Amino acid sequence: MKYWSSIFFVLLGCLLFSCIREEVSAGENIVEPGDVLPDFSAVLNDGSELSTQSLKGKVAVLIFFHTECPDCQKELPVIQRLYEEYAANEEVAIYAISREEGEEEVADYWEKNSLTIPYSAQDDRRVYELFSTSGIPRVYVCRRDGTVVSMYSDNPIATYSQLSEDVENTLKFSSYLFAEQMLSLNLPTRIY
């Protein structure tokens, strides 16, 4: 009996302390490369508004996360590095949006991990569910007209070189001819 109790508590611990994942490994993608960003708005940690409209004219990188998710904990430093690289570039906008995690928890995590990425703490899945049904982290790279160029999930998480390459390629190509240029140069639109 002691053996089964031990197994039960180990399994319960794994369930409680594992990444916040659902039964479906990567979830259903509502927004994929080639799609236009859904209409959304959220308040950022500095009180300003992040919206589909505020991203128009910029190359945007959005990450959905939860600070207790191990994959998110690995991905956020990658996004931080990307944010630092492009902080002075007014053509690039990088934001983090929490999934079911409030201001206090996110602010504490940002402070403990020296993160400076602008974020929106969302207590619910209102914004997240416009993009996906499950699975975090989710990273979207979008061109100036709001079309998603690449999307990464948790299997595998995006690397700095992948994201940097996506941002650079998106900056180089005009928004109107982007898809044609990507194909003619044999540069893939990505979904991971």
Side-chain angles (χ1 to χ4, degrees):
M1 184 68 173
K2 193 174 190 178
Y3 173 76
W4 290 111
S5 294
S6 298
I7 289 177
F8 172 77
F9 285 112
V10 167
L11 290 174
L12 180 63
C14 289
L15 232 159
L16 292 174
F17 296 105
S18 66
C19 185
I20 302 167
R21 295 181 191 219
E22 291 79 10
E23 293 300 316
V24 180
S25 63
E28 180 184 339
N29 299 320
I30 296 170
V31 176
E32 296 183 340
D35 294 342
V36 176
L37 286 175
D39 190 27
F40 76 94
S41 67
V43 176
L44 293 169
N45 57 311
D46 67 359
S48 64
E49 182 183 32
L50 169 63
S51 68
T52 308
Q53 282 302 97
S54 71
L55 296 174
K56 294 285 184 185
K58 298 178 187 258
V59 172
V61 178
L62 302 174
I63 178 172
F64 288 92
F65 71 94
H66 192 286
T67 62
E68 292 179 5
C69 165
D71 289 335
C72 298
Q73 292 170 356
K74 293 175 188 171
E75 189 74 279
L76 285 168
V78 171
I79 302 298
Q80 176 66 36
R81 182 176 170 200
L82 195 71
Y83 176 72
E84 290 170 1
E85 180 179 340
Y86 291 100
N89 187 334
E90 293 181 9
E91 295 181 331
V92 179
I94 300 173
Y95 298 102
I97 303 170
S98 72
R99 185 187 81 175
E100 292 183 304
E101 189 167 27
E103 175 64 31
E104 187 176 324
E105 294 88 0
V106 176
D108 287 347
Y109 187 85
W110 250 236
E111 185 177 335
K112 287 176 186 169
N113 292 280
S114 303
L115 299 174
T116 58
I117 311 158
Y119 67 85
S120 176
Q122 300 286 305
D123 289 325
D124 56 23
R125 291 184 180 210
R126 180 182 53 84
V127 176
Y128 173 79
E129 286 180 339
L130 297 172
F131 290 80
S132 181
T133 60
S134 64
I136 49 176
R138 290 243 176 226
V139 181
Y140 299 86
V141 178
C142 311
R143 64 186 194 202
R144 291 176 176 93
D145 68 356
T147 302
V148 175
V149 174
S150 57
M151 189 277 295
Y152 300 87
S153 65
D154 61 342
N155 189 20
I157 62 172
T159 65
Y160 173 79
S161 61
Q162 288 170 322
L163 290 171
S164 181
E165 178 183 345
D166 290 349
V167 170
E168 284 301 314
N169 286 335
T170 306
L171 282 168
K172 288 178 187 175
F173 299 109
S174 72
S175 61
Y176 299 109
L177 300 174
F178 184 79
E180 293 81 5
Q181 291 169 332
M182 291 285 282
L183 292 173
S184 70
L185 294 173
N186 204 21
L187 298 171
T189 55
R190 301 179 199 224
I191 182 167
Y192 295 97

